[in-house]
Amino acid sequence: MDWTHELENVKGLTEVIPRMQSTVVDDTLYEKVLTILTLFLDSSRAHLDLFNEWRVLDKLNEVCVDADHDSRVVSMCVRLLGVWIGHGLSCDTVQTTHPQLLQSIATCFNSNDQALRISSLAAVHSMLDNATAVPWIHGKIWLKSAFLTKSYYVSKELCRVYLKLFELREESAALDAFWKKNDPTMDVKRILAMDPDENQAYIVLRALEFAWAFANARSPRVYEYMASTGMVSHLLQIMFFEQFNTRDLALATLGEICEHAAAPLALIFSAKLANHEFGAPDVPRPMDAAFQYVSMVSDTCLRDANSHFQVETGLYLLEKTVLLLKRMDKDTAVAHATPLCQSLPDLVRVCLSMHNAPSTSFENMNDILARMTPHKRAVLASLIMTVLIQLVHACPDLMQEHALLDLTIHILSIDYVLRNNMLVMRCFELTIAILHDRRQFDASIEANLFAFFEFIVEQLADDNVVPTAMTLAYKTLHEILGFQHVAERLQQPAAAQLLLNMLKLKLADQDRDVRDAAMRFIASLFDNDKQESRVSFALALDLPLMAQQQLTDMDAYVRASSLAAIHCAMMTNQGWLYIQQQEQLAELARSLPRFLKDPDAFVRRETLNTIQFLIDSRSCEGIIFGSAPDEPTDQCLTRELLSSLLDAEDVPVLISVCKLLKSLWDLDQDNSAMSKQRRDTRSDVPNWFSDLGGTALLMDLVEMHLKAVRAEAISVIEHITQLSCTRLSLSGDKRPADTTDPRREHAISTLQALDLAALRELLRDNTYQEVFEIKAQSLMQPRLYDDDNLMDCE
C-alpha cells in the first residue's frame, strides 16, 4: 500500500496519543487507531525509523507512566509497543531509554483489570518474534500465574501466547527455557484426571481451553506433543463431570482430534476407561482403533447411565464416531457403520416409546426414559437423528432410504413431537440428506415421499409453524420436487390443490415473513434450468401468475421476491415460453418502469435486474424507452426516471444502474449493426443509451463517493471505450467504424476523455478510506482555555 498521502494523518495519530479523550464512549475508536498504526508498521521496515523520528516511544511512555490515564489508552499503547518490538525495535534500547514503559507490560500483566491483562498478553504474543525481547519476558512474565484465571477472555489470549511459544520454542535456547518454565501441560493432565466439584468447574474449563487451543492448531507437531505427554488422555473421563460447559468444550476438543489427528487414540487413550477386552492403541489402523475406543466409551456411558446428562453424553460421543468413519477406507467404514445403521433407528423408537420399539439392553437407560417428560425424550431423539444425518452423509450407500423415510413419517405422526421444533427440523434435515444427489427411487420410496409431501404441506398450513421449521419444510419440498416421477405424481389434482391452497393461505398471511418465504419458495423452483421437474411442476400449477398477483403487496420484501420469482421464471426456457403464452405476464414488461418509483430499494434493484435481463436477451419490445404521447408516464423508462435513482445513493441499486447502461449500449451497437446489414439509411435508428442520458449518468456515477459504485461505473466505461477501439481496429479505418450517429460519437469522445488509469489508482488509494477518516483532532482532550470552550456570559 502507498502511504504517501497518509503519512501526515498517521503522524497526527501518534502525536495525539497522550491527549486522547477519556470521555470517548466508542471503544472501537481505539481499536481503529491501533489497527492503523499496526498496518503502518506491517507495511514497511522503513516505517520503524519514522516511528523513531516521530519520538513515538516518548508519547507511549507519557501515557503508561501516568497512573491516572484512561485504561483503554494504556491498553492500546501496551499492545502497540508489543507490535513495535515484534517488528524489530530492540528491547534493550527500550530498557535503556524508557525502562518504565517496558515495565508497564509486566504491570498490566499483574493488574486486576481484565482489559490490561489481555493487552499485556497480546504484547507478549507479538514480542516473541523478537529474540532480544525473550530474556526480558523470561525474567518479568510468569505465564503460569495466569493459567487459572477466572476470566475467559484472559484465558483465551493466554492460550494464544502458549501456542505460539510452543511453535517457536526450538528456534532458540531462550525460547525453550521460557517454555519449560511456563509449560502447563502436566497441570492440564492432572486437572482432567481429577474428580472435581462444582466449585472447581472454572479450573476444569481453563484446562480444557488450553487443550482445545492446542487441538485446534491442527498441527502434526502439536498432536505428537499431546500424545507424548498424555495431555488429554483423560479427556473422555472429564465428560462424566456433570457440567454442560465443560462437556461441550471437551466434546469440541475431541471433535478436533477425531477429525484432524493422524492417530487420535494415541492422544485420548486412557486405561482407566478401557475395559479388559480393549488393549493398547492399534498403530497400523489408527482410525479403526479410535472408532472402537470411542464407541466402547459411548456404549459404557449409555449402559451405566444414571442420569439424563449421561445419556446425552453417550449420544454425543456416538456422534464423534462418525467423524472417524469419514476418515476410513470404504470397506472398514462399511464394517463399522452397518451396526450403527441398524441400531440408531431402534434407539430413536425407544426414546419416543413408539409402538414398534424393540427391547434394549440398556436397562438403566430404560429407567431414565421412564422418568423423563415427552419433551426431554424428544430432545434425546433429536440427538440420535443428528447422528443419523451425519451417517447418511458419511455412508450414503448403506442407508435404507425406505426405512428411514418410514421412520421419519412415523416420528412426525406423534402429537407431542410436533411441539418440539428441534426434532421436527431434524426430521426435515434427515429427509433432505436422504434425497440429496439421488435421482432414482423404487415405487415404495416414491409412495413414502408422496405421504411425506402431504404431511409437510399440512404442517406449513399450520399457523403455529416456527420460521426455522418453515424454512426447512420449504427446502424439503424443493428437494422432493427434484425427482421427475415424484413431481409428475404431485401434479395430480388432489396433491396440486393441496399445495395451491397452502400457498394461497401463506401469501394472504398477515406476517410479511410468511408471505416472503412462500414467494421465495416459488422462485426457488426456477433457480436451475436443468431441474426440469421443478420448473414443469411450477408451471403446471401456474405459480408465476400467483407471483404476479403479489407485485402489489404492501411489503417491499414480498414485492421484490415476487419480481425475483418472475425474473427466475423468465430465465428458464419453459418459463419464458409460458410467459409469452400468458397475456397477463406478457404485458408485464410494459409496466416494469413503474416499479422503479417504488419507495424501497429492494424492489427497484430487482426491477433493474429484470429489465437488464430482457435487454440482454433481446426481448425488450414491450418496454417503452423514452416518453410516448399515448402511454402513461409511469410506464415509460425515461431519462428523468433513471436520474432519480441516483438520489437515494443505494449501492446495489446504483450498481444495477451501471449494468443496465452497459446492456443499453450493447443493444444500440447490435441495432446499429443490423441496420448496416440491411443497408438502412434512415436516420431514426434508436440510440437508447444516449436518449436516456447514459453518458451523463456514467459521469455522475464515476464521481460518487461510494467506492463500489465508482468501480462498477469505471468497468462499464472501459467496456464502452474498449469496444469502440476494437471495432475501429477491425474496420481498418482511421475513424470509428460507426460514425453515422453523432450521439454515439459524443458519448465515446466524452468517455474517452476520462483518465481511467487515475480513477483506478484512486480506487486503490482509498482502500482504507473509511478507517483513515479518523482525524487526530477528534481524539484530543480539549484545552480548558480554548475560545470555543469559553462560556458566553453576555
Side-chain angles (χ1 to χ4, degrees), residues 477-478 481 520-528 531 534-535 537-538 543:
L477 276 181
H478 183 270
L481 293 172
R520 286 178 179 271
F521 166 69
I522 294 175
S524 72
L525 299 179
F526 298 100
D527 64 359
N528 189 345
Q531 286 292 335
R534 296 191 186 109
V535 177
F537 179 83
L543 296 186

Side-chain angles (χ1 to χ4, degrees), residues 308-324:
H308 171 253
F309 180 90
Q310 292 185 5
V311 174
E312 278 189 340
T313 303
L315 295 175
Y316 279 125
L317 287 172
L318 200 59
E319 182 182 358
K320 300 306 175 187
T321 62
V322 182
L323 298 175
L324 296 166

Side-chain angles (χ1 to χ4, degrees), residues 69 78 111 182 242 332 337 361 393 436 448 461 558 570 648:
H69 217 100
V78 167
S111 170
N182 292 276
E242 295 200 4
T332 308
S361 59
H393 288 302
H436 189 63
N448 273 353
V558 182
M570 290 178 178

